[in-house]
């Protein structure tokens, strides 16, 4: 370990995959391609949701927010990751690390809450469809999204403030490819039990409770779908929910395994592969999951592409 005599280091060395140097070039190429696809897919979702009047509904308003969050999530870490993979310099400044961990934590927490909000929207649409327009009006949707963002920002400020108070004892090596709260806690020295406990407690409210609400919503949705007499009606109702369910299970699985266990029990390479999945792969898959399984989005995308080519 590199030791320094300051209260905090001027920079961190991100170990990343330096113990497997043969992985760096293939990972650089793969992550660059995935990041490009994530940006294009999520920007396309935002554009069609904004430009097509037929998609001006609460579901697509929340989907636009999800795409924006995915763009922020990947952009907060991938450029730095690509720089480190493509060069011999594996460092990030202390200030850069603080900014990165704040944005990543804020956006990640907000996305957890948004997925729960999207499941509530599907619950109202299927189980309370006669009152849907009354309950999910524009004012309520904006208010719910505002509360969601404020909760994510509060979580980010609270957790990073607690984490930065931990002594590093001169250690400036992080066995990761970006700055993340569990890795910073694991790297710190001294008494860390209070930080581990606070992270677990806060994550119960940010991760576990929203997941329980999602499961409860879909239990009610499942019962409502079974009561629909026509097979076409059941198929349509299931189609509006299946995409969201796939995204929920893909996102929450790795997040739970990473954040709802004490950082001290996290294995050496677990954070790297988990983070690659929920911070890089899933934001790329989300637009394709929603477009490939949604006729409205596919139709709007094709109309947008046709209009671009016709105008040219």
């Amino acid at each position: 370990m590199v030791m320094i005599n300051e209260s905090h280091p001027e920079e961190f060395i991100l170990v990343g995959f330096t113990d497997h140097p043969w992985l760096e070039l293939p990972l650089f190429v793969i992550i660059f391609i995935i990041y490009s696809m994530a940006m294009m897919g999520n920007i396309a979702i935002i554009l069609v949701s904004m430009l097509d009047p037929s998609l001006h509904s609460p579901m697509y308003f929340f989907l636009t927010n999800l795409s924006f969050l995915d763009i922020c999530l990947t952009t907060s870490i991938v450029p730095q990751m690509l720089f480190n993979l493509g060069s011999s310099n594996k460092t990030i400044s202390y200030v850069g690390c603080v900014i990165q961990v704040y944005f990543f934590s804020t956006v990640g927490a907000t996305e957890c809450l948004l997925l729960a909000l999207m499941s509530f929207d599907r619950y109202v649409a299927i189980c309370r469809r006669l009152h849907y327009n009354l309950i999910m009006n524009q004012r309520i949707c904006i208010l719910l999204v505002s509360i969601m963002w404020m909760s994510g920002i509060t979580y980010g400020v609270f957790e990073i403030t607690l984490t930065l108070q931990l002594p590093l004892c001169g250690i400036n090596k992080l066995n990761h490819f970006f700055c993340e709260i569990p890795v910073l806690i694991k790297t710190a020295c001294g008494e860390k039990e209070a930080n581990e406990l606070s992270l677990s407690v806060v994550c119960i409210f940010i991760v576990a409770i929203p997941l329980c609400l999602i499961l409860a919503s879909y239990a009610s949705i499942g019962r409502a779908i079974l009561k629909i007499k026509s097979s076409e009606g059941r198929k349509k109702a299931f189609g509006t929910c299946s995409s969201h369910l796939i995204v929920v299970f893909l996102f929450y699985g790795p997040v739970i395994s990473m954040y709802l266990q004490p950082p001290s029990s996290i294995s050496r390479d677990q954070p790297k592969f988990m983070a690659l999945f929920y911070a890089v792969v899933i934001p790329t898959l989300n637009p394709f999951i929603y477009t490939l399984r949604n006729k409205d989005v596919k139709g709007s995308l094709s109309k947008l592409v046709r209009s671009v080519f016709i105008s040219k």
Side-chain angles (χ1 to χ4, degrees):
M1 293 290 183
V2 179
M3 304 296 291
I4 48 182
N5 295 321
E6 300 177 17
S7 58
H8 62 76
E10 291 185 0
E11 61 184 19
F12 286 105
I13 299 171
L14 299 171
V15 175
F17 295 95
T18 52
D19 48 349
H20 304 293
W22 57 272
L23 265 178
E24 292 194 339
L25 181 58
L27 271 177
F28 178 90
V29 174
I30 292 169
I31 291 172
F32 178 78
I33 294 171
I34 289 176
Y35 179 60
S36 302
M37 292 171 62
M39 294 297 289
M40 289 188 293
N42 284 297
I43 289 172
I45 292 287
I46 292 172
L47 285 176
V48 297
S49 298
M50 292 176 63
L51 297 176
D52 192 336
S54 67
L55 299 184
H56 291 175
S57 66
M59 185 174 96
Y60 295 104
F61 173 66
F62 296 139
L63 183 56
T64 300
N65 276 271
L66 179 64
S67 293
F68 178 72
L69 285 170
D70 283 339
I71 289 172
C72 294
L73 193 71
T74 53
T75 303
S76 68
I77 65 166
V78 170
Q80 177 72 41
M81 190 194 314
L82 290 174
F83 176 78
N84 289 347
L85 286 171
S87 69
S88 57
N89 184 11
K90 311 293 184 185
T91 62
I92 183 172
S93 68
Y94 180 82
V95 174
C97 183
V98 171
I99 293 171
Q100 187 179 69
V101 75
Y102 170 72
F103 275 102
F104 184 81
S105 301
T106 297
V107 172
T110 306
E111 185 156 335
C112 286
L113 298 174
L114 177 62
L115 290 173
L117 192 53
M118 292 173 76
S119 72
F120 174 72
D121 173 69
R122 292 299 85 208
Y123 164 79
V124 177
I126 293 173
C127 300
R128 299 288 185 271
R129 59 183 181 273
L130 296 178
H131 302 95
Y132 180 74
N133 292 328
L134 179 64
I135 297 172
M136 301 302 292
N137 59 65
Q138 185 180 27
R139 181 172 171 272
I140 293 295
C141 290
I142 293 173
L143 177 63
L144 290 172
V145 168
S146 300
I147 293 171
M148 174 199 75
W149 273 102
M150 289 305 300
S151 300
I153 291 169
T154 303
Y155 163 80
V157 171
F158 175 76
E159 276 304 323
I160 195 172
T161 301
L162 284 181
T163 304
L164 292 179
Q165 291 175 358
L166 284 170
L168 292 171
C169 301
I171 300 171
N172 73 335
K173 277 191 176 182
L174 298 179
N175 188 29
H176 207 13
F177 49 80
F178 72 99
C179 295
E180 192 175 11
I181 285 176
V183 177
L184 288 171
I185 294 175
K186 186 178 176 67
T187 304
C189 59
E191 296 294 327
K192 299 183 283 188
E193 288 77 11
N195 292 78
E196 292 182 344
L197 179 62
S198 70
L199 180 63
S200 298
V201 170
V202 172
C203 284
I204 287 174
F205 290 96
I206 296 294
V207 180
I209 292 178
L211 180 59
C212 290
L213 293 175
I214 291 170
L215 296 177
S217 295
Y218 278 105
S220 299
I221 289 170
R223 288 195 296 268
I225 290 175
L226 291 175
K227 292 178 182 178
I228 298 174
K229 295 180 179 180
S230 68
S231 59
E232 186 64 29
R234 286 196 299 269
K235 184 179 178 181
K236 184 178 179 180
F238 179 76
T240 61
C241 302
S242 56
S243 299
H244 181 248
L245 266 178
I246 292 170
V247 171
V248 165
F249 286 120
L250 287 175
F251 183 79
Y252 272 92
V255 169
I256 287 172
S257 66
M258 183 69 179
Y259 281 85
L260 286 181
Q261 64 172 314
S264 56
S265 67
I266 297 173
S267 63
R268 177 179 172 83
D269 290 326
Q270 181 183 350
K272 303 174 190 177
F273 294 106
M274 288 294 180
L276 275 175
F277 194 72
Y278 59 68
V280 181
V281 176
I282 294 175
T284 307
L285 292 177
N286 284 353
F288 296 98
I289 291 171
Y290 279 105
T291 54
L292 291 176
R293 301 178 64 86
N294 190 306
K295 292 180 180 179
D296 295 334
V297 176
K298 282 192 289 186
S300 297
L301 273 173
S302 62
K303 284 194 292 185
L304 180 63
V305 172
R306 282 198 303 269
S307 64
V308 170
F309 280 106
I310 290 170
S311 64
K312 287 184 178 180

